[in-house]
């Protein structure tokens, strides 16, 4: 009202007091509040508009001349009002700044004293750190300044196993603006592993533009360690249950399976499948305890090694060899760092290996190798349980061997009994015939002597002598057969070609060599055998080939090798002829005692029985193949390799 009255009485708009409306508006806003201030704005604008209108149309009264004192009073009043406005504005601004500082201090104090680490990253793809709360040093050992100096430090300390996944998720959320939430590991300054839960949100301004990422690291290491410990306990209990179950099944197999090969195969499959190992194999030592031979193994790799009779020396050049030599378990938690480990190209995925001795009655009879495709796959509990199983297996092996020996003895006794029966038959028939002949012709000799008929005497005497020779041959062959398997010369390593040459020099004279083509096929193996006995075998087979050549116009004999036996791995040798041949129904019979295919043939029928006995004593086998009459015959037999040759 004062401003309006002064402006109305003093030249209107041109009066200095007209600008008092601005002071009125400011005072109203500061003192009376926003709503009242708005009313004062409207009133001031209204009165101001009226003054302009009145001045334009000369409605205003003549200007009143104010005295100097009145003007001073008016100016002093407005000066006071301006000072009041300035003070009010300063106080308001100061209070606002004080409140902002207090709020910021409280917020910073809150952020910097909670256990969670807060951080601010920019919106670039690399998410550079622009702020991190100082308690970060308590969690990972790096200070606030180190993060600000190196904005990518958070990437540098990511655990190698988590780095790729974290960076991929960070890039994804940076592009999409979605909240970031992930649990991962950091490597602290003292090289400890720290688990954190990372939660971050993208902060935008009022226009929706991305400003920065506000996030928090929460230390969850204790929770993760508890979870890991709980998981380890569960795994340990589960593994212990599996160990007990496997041990029980191995024990049942050891007591119920008496066939050695079946037992060993069952054991390795049980251990491999129950413990989820990469490979399990069992080696058994030879009689001289110089090498160990693989007898059972798992998987295609194991079958491959079994096919070529994989063996290792009892020495320190391999895990298994060292184990057998020293009668101790050997473990390689990382085969790349263990110089004793045998690097087998057939088992390329092996990362850790355990070799356990098989002990029975105080002696080491072999070893069990257990391999995993994980490093450090064996715990102390595993080793203890597996060694217990290995001891059970060793005792079962000895039991199975005793059973095999017993079975073999029973089979030999059955064979002996059958031979004794055949012998009794021979004595009662084959030997009876010469005795009858001798007895009959002795009476003729007496009559011839009484009559003085010397020509008939000589003929009858010749028949008596032939009968005694036949009896002598039968008795000699029976004696020879009884000696095979009991009396044997020392075994030696010898090239089979030398045995062939020695045999041919004994059997074939120069005239026979001219009439019969003898072909020796190379290559020939080196075998381990009783030289004299194998010469006897070959001599018998070559003699039969010559004897039963028949009316063949171009007699031909081949001697050579034909691959390896699938069961034993021994080389297969053969003697082949193009003679009269043998029909299929007689292929087994020819190896029987006193069996002759024709009564017209000379001999006792014991020769091939002796040959079969000699081959079996050497651990081999013999068989016959023939397409039939006049198709020739081939006698195949196997002999063991010379030591060190079969591997």
């Amino acid at each position: 009202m004062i401003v309006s009255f002064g402006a109305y009485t003093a030249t209107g708009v041109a009066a200095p007091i007209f600008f008092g409306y601005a002071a009125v508006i400011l005072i109203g806003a500061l003192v009376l509040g926003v709503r009242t201030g708005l009313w004062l704005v409207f009133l001031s604008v209204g009165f101001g508009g009226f003054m302009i209108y009145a001045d334009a149309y000369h409605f205003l009264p003549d200007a009143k001349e104010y005295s100097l004192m009145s003007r001073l009073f008016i100016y002093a009043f407005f000066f006071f009002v301006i000072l009041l406005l300035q003070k009010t504005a300063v106080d308001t601004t100061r209070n606002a700044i004080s409140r902002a500082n207090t709020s910021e201090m409280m917020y910073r104090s809150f952020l910097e004293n909670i256990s969670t680490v807060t951080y601010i990253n920019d919106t670039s793809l690399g998410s550079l750190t622009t702020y991190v709360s100082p308690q970060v040093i308590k969690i990972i050992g790096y200070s606030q300044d180190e993060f600000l100096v190196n904005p990518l430090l958070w990437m540098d300390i990511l655990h190698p196993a988590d780095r790729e996944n974290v960076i991929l998720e960070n890039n994804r959320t940076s592009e999409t603006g979605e909240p970031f939430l992930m649990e991962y590991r950091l490597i602290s300054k003292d090289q400890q592993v720290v688990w954190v839960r990372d939660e971050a949100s993208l902060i935008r301004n009022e226009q929706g533009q991305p400003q920065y990422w506000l996030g928090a690291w929460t230390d969850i290491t204790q929770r993760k360690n508890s979870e890991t410990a709980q998981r380890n306990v569960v795994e340990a209990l589960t593994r212990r249950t599996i160990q007990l179950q496997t041990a029980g099944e191995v024990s049942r197999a050891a007591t119920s399976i008496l066939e050695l090969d079946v037992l060993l195969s069952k054991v390795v499959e049980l251990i491999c499948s129950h413990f989820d190992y990469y490979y399990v194999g069992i080696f058994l030592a030879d009689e001289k305890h110089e090498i160990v031979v693989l007898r059972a193994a798992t998987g295609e790799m194991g079958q491959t090694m079994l096919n070529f009779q994989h063996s290792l020396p009892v020495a320190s050049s391999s895990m298994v060899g060292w184990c057998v030599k020293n009668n101790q378990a050997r473990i390689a938690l990382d085969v790349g760092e263990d110089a004793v480990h045998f690097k087998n190209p057939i088992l390329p995925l092996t990362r850790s290996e355990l070799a356990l001795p098989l002990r029975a009655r105080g002696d080491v009879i072999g070893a069990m190798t257990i391999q995993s495709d994980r490093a450090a796959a064996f715990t102390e509990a595993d080793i203890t349980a597996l060694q217990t199983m290995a001891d059970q297996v060793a005792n079962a092996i000895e039991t199975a061997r005793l059973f095999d020996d017993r079975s073999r003895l029973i089979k030999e006794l059955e064979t002996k009994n059958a031979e004794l029966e055949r012998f009794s038959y021979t004595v009662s028939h084959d030997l009876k015939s010469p005795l009858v002949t001798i007895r009959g012709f002795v009476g003729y000799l007496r009559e011839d002597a009484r009559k003085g008929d010397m020509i008939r005497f000589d003929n009858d005497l010749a028949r008596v002598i032939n009968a005694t020779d036949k009896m002598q041959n039968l008795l000699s062959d029976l004696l020879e057969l009884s000696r095979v398997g009991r009396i044997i010369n020392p075994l030696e390593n010898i090239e089979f070609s030398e045995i062939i040459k020695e045999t041919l020099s004994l059997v074939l004279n120069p005239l026979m060599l001219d009439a019969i083509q003898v072909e020796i096929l190379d290559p020939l193996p080196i075998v381990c055998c009783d030289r004299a006995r194998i010469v006897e075998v070959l001599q018998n087979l070559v003699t039969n080939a010559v004897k039963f050549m028949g009316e063949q116009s171009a007699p031909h004999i081949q001697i050579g090798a034909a691959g390896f036996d699938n069961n034993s791995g021994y080389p297969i040798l053969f003697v082949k002829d193009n003679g009269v041949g043998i029909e299929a129904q007689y292929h087994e019979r020819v190896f029987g005692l006193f069996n002759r295919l024709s009564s017209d043939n000379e001999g006792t029928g014991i020769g091939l029985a002796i040959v079969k006995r000699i081959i079996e004593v050497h651990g081999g086998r013999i068989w016959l193949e023939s397409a039939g009459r006049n198709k020739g015959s081939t006698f195949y037999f196997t002999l063991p390799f010379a030591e060190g040759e079969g591997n």
Side-chain angles (χ1 to χ4, degrees):
M1 291 177 67
I2 292 172
V3 171
S4 298
F5 177 78
Y8 182 77
T9 59
T11 68
V13 178
I17 198 172
F18 184 81
F19 294 99
Y21 283 118
V24 171
I25 293 172
L26 290 175
I27 292 174
L30 292 174
V31 178
L32 303 178
V34 176
R35 180 174 296 180
T36 305
L38 288 175
W39 281 106
L40 288 175
V41 170
F42 294 143
L43 290 173
S44 297
V45 171
F47 276 104
F50 172 75
M51 291 296 173
I52 294 172
Y53 178 81
D55 189 19
Y57 290 97
H58 307 287
F59 292 155
L60 296 176
D62 293 335
K64 183 179 180 180
E65 187 69 24
Y66 288 95
S67 65
L68 180 61
M69 291 302 294
S70 298
R71 290 181 180 179
L72 287 174
F73 175 78
I74 293 172
Y75 290 146
F77 172 77
F78 281 106
F79 180 75
F80 174 76
V81 170
I82 291 173
L83 287 178
L84 179 62
L85 290 176
Q86 184 180 17
K87 183 179 184 304
T88 303
V90 169
D91 290 344
T92 302
T93 303
R94 185 178 295 163
N95 291 336
I97 293 174
S98 177
R99 287 195 302 270
N101 289 337
T102 301
S103 177
E104 182 180 358
M105 290 178 61
M106 293 176 62
Y107 181 68
R108 183 180 293 273
S109 176
F110 169 75
L111 290 180
E112 295 182 356
N113 285 280
I114 60 176
S115 59
T116 300
V117 175
T118 55
Y119 65 86
I120 295 176
N121 289 353
D122 66 13
T123 57
S124 66
L125 191 61
S127 297
L128 303 179
T129 301
T130 60
Y131 170 80
V132 64
S133 57
Q135 64 265 42
V136 68
I137 194 171
K138 297 179 182 179
I139 296 181
I140 55 178
Y142 291 95
S143 67
Q144 187 180 39
D145 292 337
E146 287 176 293
F147 273 91
L148 298 179
V149 170
N150 180 11
L152 289 176
L153 180 59
W154 73 273
M155 285 190 181
D156 296 338
I157 62 176
L158 287 172
H159 192 283
D162 298 336
R163 182 187 304 275
E164 183 178 357
N165 291 335
V166 173
I167 293 177
L168 287 175
E169 181 64 12
N170 177 75
N171 294 341
R172 186 189 70 81
T173 55
S174 295
E175 293 174 355
T176 62
E178 297 178 5
F180 180 94
L181 176 59
M182 197 172 185
E183 294 180 356
Y184 55 85
R185 289 164 288 183
L186 299 174
I187 303 299
S188 67
K189 199 168 187 176
D190 58 356
Q191 301 303 307
Q192 298 297 315
V193 175
V194 178
W195 276 93
V196 296
R197 177 184 174 87
D198 188 353
E199 299 179 76
S201 298
L202 182 62
I203 306 301
R204 302 176 184 270
N205 60 17
E206 295 179 355
Q207 290 74 35
Q209 298 297 321
Q211 297 297 298
Y212 56 87
W213 285 91
L214 177 62
W217 277 343
T218 304
D219 186 355
I220 58 172
T221 305
Q222 186 174 1
R223 174 170 68 82
K224 284 292 184 179
N225 290 341
S226 299
E227 292 175 357
T228 301
Q230 184 178 8
R231 185 167 56 252
N232 290 340
V233 170
V234 173
E235 290 179 355
L237 291 174
T238 303
R239 197 167 185 83
R240 184 59 177 168
T241 302
I242 292 174
Q243 290 173 354
L244 294 174
Q245 179 184 355
T246 307
E249 293 188 24
V250 169
S251 178
R252 285 192 294 272
T255 55
S256 62
I257 301 175
L258 295 177
E259 296 181 16
L260 184 57
D261 291 336
V262 176
L263 170 65
L264 298 182
S265 297
K266 181 70 173 179
V267 168
V268 296
E269 290 296 339
L270 281 173
I271 295 175
C272 187
S273 60
H274 282 50
F275 287 90
D276 193 24
Y277 289 133
Y278 174 49
Y279 166 80
V280 178
I282 292 180
F283 290 81
L284 296 183
D286 65 349
E287 293 181 358
K288 297 182 180 180
H289 217 72
E290 294 177 350
I291 63 171
V292 285
V293 180
L294 184 66
R295 293 293 303 273
T298 57
E300 295 181 3
M301 311 87 67
Q303 190 59 50
T304 300
M305 290 186 286
L306 287 171
N307 289 341
F308 63 77
Q309 288 195 309
H310 175 54
S311 63
L312 296 170
V314 178
S316 299
S317 59
S318 66
M319 293 276 293
V320 170
W322 187 96
C323 169
V324 175
K325 179 181 179 181
N326 296 277
N327 190 13
Q328 295 180 18
R330 182 64 185 257
I331 183 172
L333 295 179
D334 190 339
V335 297
E337 298 178 358
D338 196 310
V340 177
H341 174 69
F342 177 74
K343 294 179 175 59
N344 192 333
I346 299 179
L347 301 168
L349 301 182
T350 297
R351 289 291 309 280
S352 53
E353 179 179 2
L354 175 64
L356 299 170
L358 298 177
R359 294 184 286 251
R361 301 178 183 176
D363 297 327
V364 180
I365 63 173
M368 180 188 299
T369 175
I370 304 166
Q371 302 181 25
S372 174
D373 54 6
R374 296 178 289 110
F378 308 103
T379 64
E380 290 294 333
D382 292 338
I383 297 173
T384 301
L386 291 170
Q387 183 63 70
T388 301
M389 296 180 207
D391 293 339
Q392 288 181 328
V393 171
N395 291 326
I397 289 172
E398 285 298 295
T399 302
R401 282 177 168 174
L402 292 174
F403 178 77
D404 288 345
D405 292 341
R406 178 169 173 262
S407 299
R408 186 172 59 254
L409 288 174
I410 292 174
K411 187 175 181 179
E412 289 181 359
L413 287 174
E414 291 175 349
T415 303
K416 295 288 187 183
N417 288 334
E419 290 180 357
L420 285 174
E421 291 178 3
R422 301 290 298 275
F423 178 78
S424 300
Y425 175 82
T426 301
V427 170
S428 63
H429 291 81
D430 291 48
L431 293 182
K432 182 178 180 181
S433 178
L435 289 174
V436 171
T437 301
I438 293 171
R439 182 172 183 177
F441 280 94
V442 166
Y444 290 136
L445 288 174
R446 181 184 301 167
E447 184 177 349
D448 293 339
R450 183 174 56 80
K451 293 180 177 180
D453 189 349
M454 297 308 296
I455 295 176
R456 185 172 178 179
F457 181 88
D458 291 338
N459 291 335
D460 293 339
L461 182 60
R463 293 187 179 183
V464 171
I465 293 173
N466 287 336
T468 57
D469 288 342
K470 182 177 181 181
M471 184 181 298
Q472 180 64 38
N473 290 336
L474 282 170
L475 293 175
S476 297
D477 287 345
L478 287 171
L479 181 61
E480 179 66 18
L481 180 63
S482 67
R483 288 176 176 173
V484 175
R486 292 187 296 108
I487 301 176
I488 189 168
N489 300 312
L491 300 178
E492 59 180 307
N493 296 336
I494 184 170
E495 293 185 6
F496 194 69
S497 57
E498 294 185 13
I499 296 177
I500 295 174
K501 293 176 182 178
E502 182 177 346
T503 301
L504 295 180
S505 65
L506 294 173
V507 174
L508 303 179
N509 56 45
L511 293 177
M512 296 175 69
L513 287 173
D514 291 338
I516 300 174
Q517 180 185 0
V518 179
E519 183 180 5
I520 302 174
L521 304 178
D522 289 326
L524 292 167
I526 301 175
V527 295
C528 179
C529 64
D530 177 351
R531 179 179 185 138
R533 288 296 192 187
I534 299 305
V535 168
E536 184 178 349
V537 168
L538 209 59
Q539 184 176 353
N540 193 298
L541 296 178
V542 173
T543 300
N544 282 349
V546 173
K547 183 186 301 184
F548 298 102
M549 193 59 68
E551 302 297 329
Q552 178 60 249
S553 59
H556 184 203
I557 298 175
Q558 283 185 338
I559 305 175
F564 306 94
D565 185 38
N566 291 332
N567 295 325
S568 65
Y570 291 169
I572 299 174
L573 306 164
F574 67 87
V575 176
K576 180 179 181 180
D577 64 67
N578 60 344
V580 297
I582 301 175
E583 295 180 1
Q585 62 266 33
Y586 302 116
H587 286 185
E588 291 294 332
R589 181 182 173 186
V590 295
F591 297 105
L593 190 61
F594 305 116
N595 283 334
R596 291 179 294 176
L597 298 182
S598 174
S599 58
D600 298 335
N601 298 326
E602 298 179 357
T604 61
I606 300 179
L608 288 178
I610 294 175
V611 167
K612 182 179 180 182
R613 181 71 65 82
I614 293 173
I615 295 298
E616 289 176 347
V617 166
H618 281 77
R621 65 189 185 98
I622 185 170
W623 69 96
L624 165 66
E625 291 184 5
S626 176
R629 184 178 297 277
N630 297 321
K631 299 292 186 179
S633 302
T634 304
F635 284 86
Y636 293 97
F637 58 96
T638 63
L639 290 173
F641 274 112
E643 294 182 4
E645 292 293 325
N647 298 331

